């Protein structure tokens, strides 16, 4: 089993019967969805799932999971998702998969938000390896980009994977990828959040409960819970 498979299987230990589970997006989250589907089938569990993106929705339907849409729920028991960056105090960066609004909604309403990843995700400071993604309304995207640019080092509109158009989220928004020089992550988050046109952004601070990080076939649990 490689490191991603290992954390995906470790996350199964947090799955309880008769619960609603939020499905994440990305290669690590996909492995969890697959492992979850096997567990549900083997143990005949009663589990409903909700998806953080159209990609994880498709996965859920392919595995015949009991899928419910976001507008049908108010609370999620467990949300398991990957991340682009994680710090030792559980600051998390997400958003290479576009759907920041859906991911933030799930993280915020989950009783437990469990982040899974390999050692490459660990950073000293958010923004160290990746730009910070910001989901913005397309109606005046240039205005929003210019406003963010005033506090950013660099801020570009994300292209789609083919490179022939802009990336569009499942709720019809654009994504900016921005780098910042900052000293306080909370202050930066507040600056981004108050910019007109911003729908959501990839900094998940004070939200994750646990991160499971695999390295050399060993899983380390990071938690702030006492
Ligand atoms: C999607 C995300 C992903 O969870 C993140 O990009 C990690 O992906 P992977 O597990 O493939 O490394 O935030 O928006």
């Amino acid at each position: 089993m490689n490191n991603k498979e290992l954390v995906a299987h470790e996350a199964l230990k947090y799955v309880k019967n008769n619960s609603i589970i939020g499905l994440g997006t990305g290669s690590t989250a996909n492995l969890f969805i697959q492992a979850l589907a096997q567990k549900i089938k083997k143990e005949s569990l009663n589990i409903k799932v909700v998806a953080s993106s159209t990609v994880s929705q498709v996965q859920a339907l392919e595995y015949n999971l009991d899928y419910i849409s976001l507008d049908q729920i108010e609370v999620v028991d467990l949300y398991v998702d990957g991340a682009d960056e994680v710090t030792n105090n559980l600051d998390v960066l997400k958003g290479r998969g576009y759907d920041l609004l859906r991911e933030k909604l799930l993280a915020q309403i989950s009783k437990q938000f469990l982040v899974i990843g390999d050692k490459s995700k660990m950073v000293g400071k958010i923004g160290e390896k990746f730009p910070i993604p910001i989901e913005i309304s397309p109606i005046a995207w240039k205005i929003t980009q210019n406003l963010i640019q005033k506090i950013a080092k660099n801020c570009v509109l994300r292209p789609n994977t083919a490179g022939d158009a802009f990336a569009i989220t499942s709720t019809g928004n654009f994504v900016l990828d921005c780098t910042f020089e900052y000293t306080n992550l909370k202050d930066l988050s507040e600056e981004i959040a108050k910019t007109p046109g911003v729908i959501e952004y990839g900094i998940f601070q004070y939200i994750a409960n646990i991160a499971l990080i695999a390295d050399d076939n060993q899983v380390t649990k990071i938690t702030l819970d006492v």
Side-chain angles (χ1 to χ4, degrees), residues 44-221:
S44 303
L45 300 179
N46 170 34
I47 285 176
K48 293 191 190 317
V49 296
V50 58
S52 64
S53 64
T54 37
V55 176
S56 50
Q57 180 179 344
V58 168
Q59 295 266 314
L61 297 175
E62 272 176 10
Y63 288 118
N64 278 323
L65 300 181
D66 189 356
Y67 176 80
I68 44 172
S69 61
L70 264 175
D71 59 357
Q72 289 177 285
I73 54 154
E74 287 175 41
V75 71
V76 167
D77 295 294
L78 173 71
Y79 172 38
V80 180
D81 203 348
D84 300 308
E85 296 181 347
V86 182
T87 68
N88 273 327
N89 59 349
L90 286 184
D91 294 336
V92 173
L93 183 72
K94 292 189 50 54
R96 307 255 50 87
Y98 304 1
D99 269 331
L100 286 162
L101 175 59
R102 285 172 70 153
E103 291 186 338
K104 191 70 77 70
L105 282 168
L106 281 185
Q108 203 80 59
I109 61 159
S110 293
K111 291 181 192 161
Q112 206 167 36
F113 174 27
L114 176 59
V115 176
I116 52 176
D118 60 22
K119 189 73 194 296
S120 69
K121 309 291 174 151
M122 293 306 295
V123 293
K125 187 180 177 185
I126 291 300
E128 204 172 281
K129 291 186 178 171
F130 288 100
I132 293 171
I134 305 175
E135 183 171 351
I136 63 166
S137 168
I139 59 159
W141 66 269
K142 225 171 187 22
I143 296 176
T144 305
Q145 183 185 30
N146 289 344
L147 290 170
I148 296 279
Q149 186 65 67
K150 286 185 182 166
I151 56 165
K153 259 172 68 184
N154 190 32
C155 204
V156 294
L157 198 58
R158 187 182 294 183
N160 67 4
T161 30
D164 56 3
F166 299 138
I168 298 178
T169 72
S170 69
T171 42
N173 300 313
F174 288 168
V175 179
L176 295 172
D177 283 309
C178 309
T179 54
F180 299 89
E181 262 164 21
Y182 71 92
T183 44
N184 184 304
L185 188 62
K186 185 167 179 282
D187 291 346
L188 174 66
S189 299
E190 284 169 4
E191 282 294 318
I192 296 171
K194 74 180 186 195
T195 306
V198 169
I199 308 284
E200 254 315 330
Y201 52 96
I203 302 166
F204 288 54
Q205 197 179 22
Y206 314 125
I207 310 181
N209 303 94
I210 298 171
L212 298 176
I213 302 295
D215 184 28
D216 268 348
N217 278 316
Q218 289 221 318
V219 177
T220 303
K221 176 176 168 180

